Amino acid sequence: MQKYILAIDQGTTSSRAIVFDGERKIAGVGQKEFTQHFPQDGWVEHDPEEIWESVTWSIKTALDKARAGAGDIAAIGITNQRETVVIWDRATGKPIHNAIVWQDRRTAGYCAELKKDGHEPDVTERTGLLLDPYFSGTKVKWLLDHVEGARARAEKGELAFGTVDTFLIWRLTGGKVHATDATNASRTLLYNIGTNQWDDSLCALLDVPVALLPAVKDCADDFGVADAGLFGAAIPILGVAGDQHAATIGQACFEPGMLKSTYGTGCFALLNTGTDRVPSKNRLLTTIAYRLDGKTTYALEGSIFIAGAAVQWIRDGLKLVKHASETGPLARTADPSQNVYMVPAFVGLGAPWWDAEARGAIFGITRNTGPAEIAKAALEAVSYQTRDLLEAMRKDWQGDGDTVLRVDGGMVASNWTMQFLADILDAPVDRPTILETTALGAAWLAGMKAGVWPGMAEFAESWARDERFEPQMDAETRKAKIAGWDDAVRRTLTSQMQ
């Protein structure tokens, strides 16, 4: 019987499971959306139990569609929404509160206090990150401070913290394994990416008991075995990486200077910098791209909080379309004489601005502005934000030659959006044949560790391009459009407001 690999892709709005066959082709997919909770302005939560239910449902569905049993699966690879925080009871496995999602901004005031007190330079030196509510550490502190009895229980070792990968590993192994990988650990504000260890001084700064923290492993490692009672047979868990790191692997960006950008709920661009830990002078993040066989590869990362989520808002909030796929065709019908800009700062602005208090705005509206112009502005905003990230990366990275951007995620299926991206970047954009690169990266980690998938070099050679988008816009038009975007962002930043 052919051995399959199961990838669990636990995202921000849905959970997906994909069964890959021995040729690394998709044999079966299961996907289930789950509820987004918004208790207050700027707060975003998920129910961990609903996440768990969506994951198990997706796995069973994917196995059924692949006509495979659990015994046919050689290994599981997990990739997940990063920075989202779950704390649960070690005895019962039950969460003490809803998960606080990476988009959540409730700790913005605390982050501002830490910055004011001068802590950010040291935090950045140790973690490569900035003091922003995006990251996990301040969310952990909030839960310990606001859930009755949580801090005392945490200090006694009764509670466990994890990003979503860790919570899933705990549940899959029946509570036998409390572990994460280096990529997810690197996003917590608690992990020193130089020493590759939890940092006692950072834990003290954020008042997080070390007893809460999971063990940190390589991305391809032994994360225990999924209990046989769940799916019919025991399955080893051999690969784990945060979603953006898994996409970097799935895009085979293994050489320094290679660049990928993923367009999902948000947009995240990672530039492989090899063994060089490049400090950013332009408000980017220095992060762990992946860690294999104890060797750490670093990356520069730019994070955009709202990309596909803006399309989702147009569909669900404004109800301008019934399906997200309609946004591109609608944008094509927009009046080209209107210069409408959407700055989708629904939960603040990420890199390179890092303004947690900024909120979304639309500029340039006239009486003639309608659904088509709004849809066009939302799609264009993703390209403008990507350009901001890449310009910052060019200033930080002193590598040789021009870099071709490899793209993936749901939004890249739109030819219109990808062409505009190439036009605004004034650079080629490559779309791969397999768009599920996040799941593919997690699957490769597990399959390679299990010995049923090839090593890095052969996997990289198998990467295939579906289409290359070359820039077609003239320089004068590009310059004018970018100037309009820059003006819109300036008007949105809270630092510019009186």
Side-chain angles (χ1 to χ4, degrees):
M1 179 67 72
Q2 181 184 41
K3 283 292 185 181
Y4 296 91
I5 298 295
L6 170 65
I8 299 171
D9 183 357
Q10 202 298 299
T12 307
T13 59
S14 69
S15 297
R16 189 179 318 185
I18 300 180
V19 175
F20 289 90
D21 66 20
E23 300 297 317
R24 302 185 292 285
K25 295 179 180 177
I26 295 174
V29 180
Q31 183 171 358
K32 189 172 187 179
E33 291 191 2
F34 52 87
T35 311
Q36 309 293 304
H37 300 275
F38 307 101
Q40 296 184 31
D41 177 45
W43 292 29
V44 189
E45 296 181 357
H46 293 156
D47 179 352
E49 297 292 355
E50 190 179 4
I51 288 177
W52 170 245
E53 188 276 331
S54 69
V55 167
T56 55
W57 184 93
S58 297
I59 290 172
K60 291 171 182 176
T61 301
L63 289 172
D64 286 346
K65 289 184 177 179
R67 298 181 180 178
D72 302 321
I73 305 298
I76 294 173
I78 298 174
T79 183
N80 57 288
Q81 52 166 315
R82 304 172 302 170
E83 298 96 14
T84 295
V85 167
V86 188
I87 297 179
W88 63 93
D89 185 309
R90 288 183 183 271
T92 66
K94 293 184 177 180
I96 65 169
H97 190 276
N98 272 351
I100 301 182
V101 180
W102 58 272
Q103 297 167 316
D104 190 282
R105 316 306 286 169
R106 74 186 65 185
T107 62
Y110 178 54
C111 290
E113 288 178 19
L114 292 172
K115 287 183 188 179
K116 185 178 178 181
D117 292 340
H119 292 294
E120 188 167 68
D122 182 58
V123 170
T124 300
E125 171 62 27
R126 294 170 185 270
T127 67
L129 309 177
L130 301 170
L131 281 170
D132 189 88
Y134 171 37
F135 304 108
S136 306
T138 59
K139 296 177 172 69
V140 178
K141 175 177 166 56
W142 190 94
L143 286 172
L144 296 180
D145 289 343
H146 289 82
V147 177
E148 186 176 356
R151 183 167 293 285
R153 296 186 65 205
E155 290 171 352
K156 292 177 185 176
E158 296 176 4
L159 302 180
F161 149 71
T163 42
V164 175
D165 59 303
T166 304
F167 178 67
L168 293 180
I169 292 166
W170 180 279
R171 282 290 177 92
L172 288 167
T173 62
K176 294 183 178 68
V177 179
H178 184 212
T180 189
D181 84 296
T183 67
N184 279 293
S186 75
R187 313 295 296 190
T188 60
L189 282 176
L190 302 169
Y191 192 74
N192 191 311
I193 64 172
T195 64
N196 265 285
Q197 293 178 327
W198 297 117
D199 192 298
D200 289 339
S201 68
L202 294 172
C203 291
L205 176 66
L206 299 184
D207 204 12
V208 174
V210 176
L212 269 179
L213 304 177
V216 181
K217 296 174 175 283
D218 285 350
C219 298
D221 212 324
D222 179 4
F223 291 89
V225 177
D227 193 276
L230 289 171
F231 309 111
I235 312 171
I237 306 166
L238 298 181
V240 176
D243 51 11
Q244 305 314 316
H245 315 266
T248 302
I249 293 166
Q251 288 277 34
C253 291
F254 295 131
E255 298 297 325
M258 296 187 75
L259 173 68
K260 76 88 200 174
S261 190
T262 299
Y263 298 90
T265 300
C267 164
F268 303 87
L270 263 74
L271 174 71
N272 186 323
T273 63
T275 56
D276 292 335
R277 186 181 154 195
V278 178
S280 176
K281 297 177 181 177
N282 295 280
R283 307 285 287 171
L284 297 176
L285 307 175
T286 305
T287 196
I288 293 176
Y290 47 84
R291 196 177 84 193
L292 298 171
D293 297 323
K295 179 184 176 183
T296 301
T297 297
Y298 294 97
L300 282 170
E301 177 177 335
S303 308
I304 298 168
F305 298 148
I306 299 293
V311 175
Q312 193 176 44
W313 174 68
I314 285 172
R315 181 193 68 187
D316 301 337
L318 298 184
K319 302 189 185 303
L320 299 183
V321 296
K322 290 185 177 180
H323 304 285
S325 59
E326 298 170 15
T327 323
L330 180 61
R332 287 194 194 96
T333 68
D335 179 0
S337 69
Q338 292 194 48
N339 295 311
V340 180
Y341 291 91
M342 177 189 290
V343 182
F346 300 165
V347 290
L349 281 173
W353 312 106
W354 294 106
D355 187 339
E357 301 301 326
R359 289 297 177 264
I362 302 176
F363 298 94
I365 297 174
T366 70
R367 285 289 298 273
N368 289 328
T369 300
E373 287 73 34
I374 300 297
K376 181 169 177 270
L379 294 178
E380 288 182 344
V382 175
S383 298
Y384 290 126
Q385 291 180 101
T386 303
R387 180 191 171 275
D388 290 342
L389 298 184
L390 268 58
E391 285 297 303
M393 285 179 173
R394 288 189 181 110
K395 294 174 184 176
D396 282 335
W397 171 248
Q398 303 302 316
D400 297 328
D402 294 326
T403 299
V404 175
L405 177 64
R406 291 184 174 181
V407 296
D408 55 80
M411 294 187 78
V412 308
S414 167
N415 288 349
W416 186 93
T417 305
M418 291 302 98
Q419 184 57 56
F420 188 79
L421 178 61
D423 287 341
I424 287 300
L425 296 180
D426 193 21
V429 172
D430 279 358
R431 182 172 63 195
T433 54
I434 297 180
L435 297 182
E436 300 288 356
T437 56
T438 304
L440 180 63
W444 176 75
L445 289 169
M448 181 267 296
K449 184 68 175 177
V452 298
W453 278 25
M456 183 180 287
E458 187 179 340
F459 178 70
E461 288 177 4
S462 70
W463 185 91
R465 184 174 68 204
D466 168 56
E467 188 166 351
R468 169 167 286 185
F469 297 87
E470 297 279 3
Q472 298 174 1
M473 186 179 290
D474 65 85
E476 186 176 341
T477 302
R478 181 183 303 110
K479 184 178 178 181
K481 286 183 173 293
I482 291 170
W485 165 257
D486 289 343
D487 180 61
V489 171
R490 277 193 297 270
R491 293 170 184 268
T492 307
L493 295 170
T494 55
S495 60
Q496 302 296 317
M497 298 179 182
Q498 299 300 320

